Amino acid sequence: TPGLAMSQGAEAASTFGYAFYVQPCAVPLLRTLPRGDDGARTLCAALHVTFAVTCVAYLCVGLGGLIYFGEGAVPQDLLQGFDGPIGGSLAAFFSVYLMLAFSPTLVPLRETLVRLHNERTARSHAASPRPPEAPMDATDAVLPPLQNAALTTALISAALMVALLLPNASASLFALTGATGVCAIGYAFPVYAYWRLP
């Protein structure tokens, strides 16, 4: 039906947008790159490779599902289509992949929260009538080890709680965090913030 097709199209577009969540990760990692043209070339090369690999991976999974299961019979979750040793191997592979892929996405979230906190602290010190006590620079996103470990643990625990409480909602969560969250955080908000600069 047209309504179902529209719904599936919107979810597919949202999930495809989620594939490009790596874009917001690039900016916080800029300070780890070499300065000047070398750093810019390294960043561009890394982004091109990342987007190419992501595109190829999505095409392989999508076309492989169509070829293996046939049109209209592709399971929502790839792991639901396999059992036995193949299903176990796929589950182990995806578990390792998710463990390794989660860490880079945590970096921009943690850095953003630290910068927002530092900015707020700097403003409160500036508005204080008494002499400021050398507030932390708002551009500094490095925390002391204990605070860094505590914040990282809190962020990972929050993500784990979502996975534990909503174990079968991955498609809906990807649709929600895909085009909506990534486009807002990765594209709309930075442009708006740039326009609001003095």
Side-chain angles (χ1 to χ4, degrees), residues 65-157:
L66 178 63
I67 293 169
Y68 188 84
F69 296 106
E71 187 173 356
V74 179
Q76 176 181 343
D77 185 341
L78 183 62
L79 298 180
Q80 292 174 351
F82 300 96
D83 54 9
I86 295 177
S89 300
L90 283 173
F93 171 77
F94 282 116
S95 296
V96 172
Y97 164 76
L98 289 173
M99 285 187 291
L100 295 176
F102 185 73
S103 300
T105 63
L106 186 68
V107 174
L109 173 60
R110 183 180 60 202
E111 182 163 320
T112 300
L113 293 175
V114 173
R115 287 182 190 278
L116 288 173
H117 175 265
N118 292 344
E119 177 69 24
R120 188 170 186 175
T121 303
R123 286 188 181 185
S124 65
H125 280 286
S128 176
R130 62 176 187 264
E133 302 172 0
M136 184 180 286
D137 186 3
T139 61
D140 186 11
V142 179
L143 288 174
L146 189 58
Q147 292 179 6
N148 186 54
L151 178 58
T152 303
T153 302
L155 294 175
I156 292 175
S157 298

Side-chain angles (χ1 to χ4, degrees), residues 13-99:
S14 181
T15 305
F16 187 71
Y18 182 80
F20 293 94
Y21 76 96
V22 294
Q23 188 273 346
C25 299
V27 177
L29 297 176
L30 284 175
R31 58 189 172 90
T32 66
L33 294 173
R35 297 201 176 273
D37 291 340
D38 289 341
R41 280 193 296 270
T42 302
L43 178 63
C44 287
L47 287 175
H48 291 160
V49 169
T50 302
F51 289 146
V53 170
T54 301
C55 181
V56 170
Y58 270 68
L59 286 173
C60 288
V61 171
L63 293 175
L66 178 63
I67 293 169
Y68 188 84
F69 296 106
E71 187 173 356
V74 179
Q76 176 181 343
D77 185 341
L78 183 62
L79 298 180
Q80 292 174 351
F82 300 96
D83 54 9
I86 295 177
S89 300
L90 283 173
F93 171 77
F94 282 116
S95 296
V96 172
Y97 164 76
L98 289 173
M99 285 187 291

